[in-house]
Amino acid sequence: MPDDIPYNRIFELAPGRAEELVPGVRRIVADNPGPFTFKGTVSYIVGRGKVAIIDPGPDDPAHIAALLDAVRGETVTHIFVTHTHRDHSPAVPAIKAATGAEVLAEGPHRASRPLHAGEAPRMEASNDIEFRPDRTLADGEVVSGAGWTLEALATPGHTANHMAFVLKEADLIFSGDHVMAWSTSIVAPPDGAMSDFMNSLHKLVRRPESIYLPGHGGEVRDAPNFVAAYIRHRHAREASILHRLAKGAADIPTIVRAVYIGLDPRLVGAAGYSVLAHLEDMAARGEVLTEGPPSINGVYRLAGS
Ligand SMILES: [Zn+2]
């Protein structure tokens, strides 16, 4: 399938080194590269003197020390968390203990829908189920600090509690793992949900901000067009799945082999869950049928076939 997303995979920042990206926004990358994290998790420092940290990152002593070193002589007043995967929030307790900052997020980790009988939360190992914010944020809520103003944008889909944050003083959004320049976002039920993810993309595509700063990799430029490409990419995936099912009923591994050509073997499992996310959405719309609730082991066919 042609990939029409204008990816940008240039990202040269060395782990542990803070870099000012635009005035009042610094970034620092954790040393946790991998197939799901690209070069590592990017933590952001917003403001000067009295600052906010967005996504303290994994529970990695070197990254925590580097972050605290980067804000030496400054006061951290707020810690924002985009979502509760283990590469984003487990450093919160250490940063909070060192700084006394208030922790703000949409809420604790939760699945996007009730679990089916016998279904386990898939990414148990990936989820920071201990996380509790000091203060929960609602969609559209605005938080002001010394020289910065952040607006919370509920953007569920990658996780149920995912939030992006608009920096009102600049033309930019901290987009977490919802929109990233290097890759598509992973949407894996039951933690993620494709219908939520698409709604969140449609919410962002109408917004004017042109630059997104994601949780992994470098900045997204010309963001509204990039988000539109993300939406087209998902529609194309859906069309490919329907095309495969038009040839006959299939299980998810069969669909993955038909739809994902040249896939990194380390990503086959994630691709299966991504297909499940699409199938859940298509089953809810009545386009696809399966026995019982859509599951990773299910067999799927077109409605009316
Ligand atoms: Zn992440």
Side-chain angles (χ1 to χ4, degrees):
M1 192 186 69
D3 234 352
D4 52 353
I5 301 176
Y7 293 117
N8 175 12
R9 296 194 171 99
I10 298 167
F11 188 74
E12 299 301 341
L13 188 61
R17 181 130 32 91
E19 175 195 65
E20 184 150 46
L21 200 53
V22 294
V25 178
R26 285 166 280 172
R27 67 180 174 184
I28 182 162
V29 63
D31 195 10
N32 61 337
F36 298 103
T37 57
F38 192 42
K39 304 287 177 86
T41 305
V42 184
S43 301
Y44 294 94
I45 302 165
V46 181
R48 276 282 173 194
K50 288 185 174 173
V51 304
I53 291 176
I54 300 179
D55 281 359
D59 184 15
D60 165 17
H63 183 63
I64 291 164
L67 252 181
L68 291 174
D69 207 41
V71 296
R72 181 163 312 188
E74 300 178 282
T75 305
V76 180
T77 56
H78 300 73
I79 298 168
F80 292 86
V81 170
T82 62
H83 66 296
T84 44
H85 280 155
R86 297 196 67 81
D87 53 330
H88 292 264
S89 54
V92 165
I95 300 290
K96 181 181 165 62
T99 63
E102 184 181 34
V103 180
L104 302 94
E106 196 267 355
H109 192 86
R110 65 179 185 280
S112 285
R113 55 159 172 77
L115 300 187
H116 306 317
E119 183 183 41
R122 178 184 96 85
M123 295 171 86
E124 232 164 13
S126 319
N127 297 334
D128 178 7
I129 57 170
E130 320 266 271
F131 176 81
R132 297 288 179 279
D134 296 321
R135 182 174 150 198
T136 57
L137 293 173
D139 183 38
E141 201 167 336
V142 173
V143 179
S144 300
W148 55 262
T149 314
L150 289 169
E151 178 187 351
L153 288 183
T155 41
H158 177 68
T159 62
N161 65 358
H162 194 287
M163 275 191 154
F165 299 99
V166 184
L167 179 58
K168 300 298 238 179
E169 284 76 11
D171 182 31
L172 66 82
I173 294 178
F174 297 96
S175 55
D177 285 6
H178 180 54
V179 177
M180 302 179 285
W182 74 282
S183 171
T184 56
S185 182
I186 288 173
V187 181
D191 292 307
M194 190 57 73
S195 55
D196 291 346
F197 183 72
M198 294 304 286
N199 288 339
S200 295
L201 289 179
H202 284 291
K203 178 176 182 173
L204 287 191
V205 79
R206 293 191 297 264
R207 296 194 58 98
E209 292 83 5
S210 64
I211 294 176
Y212 290 2
L213 301 180
H216 304 273
E219 62 269 32
V220 175
R221 302 204 169 267
D222 194 11
N225 281 323
F226 190 88
V227 173
Y230 250 49
I231 292 170
R232 284 197 303 275
H233 172 83
R234 289 299 177 181
H235 287 154
R237 270 281 186 258
E238 220 177 78
S240 305
I241 293 169
L242 288 172
H243 181 76
R244 173 59 192 80
L245 293 180
K247 297 177 181 170
D251 61 9
I252 287 177
T254 305
I255 297 171
V256 168
R257 279 194 298 277
V259 169
Y260 291 79
I261 308 299
L263 181 65
D264 179 337
R266 296 173 299 176
L267 299 180
V268 167
Y273 279 93
S274 201
V275 167
L276 173 60
H278 277 297
L279 290 166
E280 272 190 0
D281 192 20
M282 292 149 88
R285 296 198 309 253
E287 296 171 8
V288 161
L289 301 175
T290 185
E291 268 321 297
S295 86
I296 195 71
N297 301 315
V299 174
Y300 296 84
R301 61 191 165 87
L302 288 188
S305 70

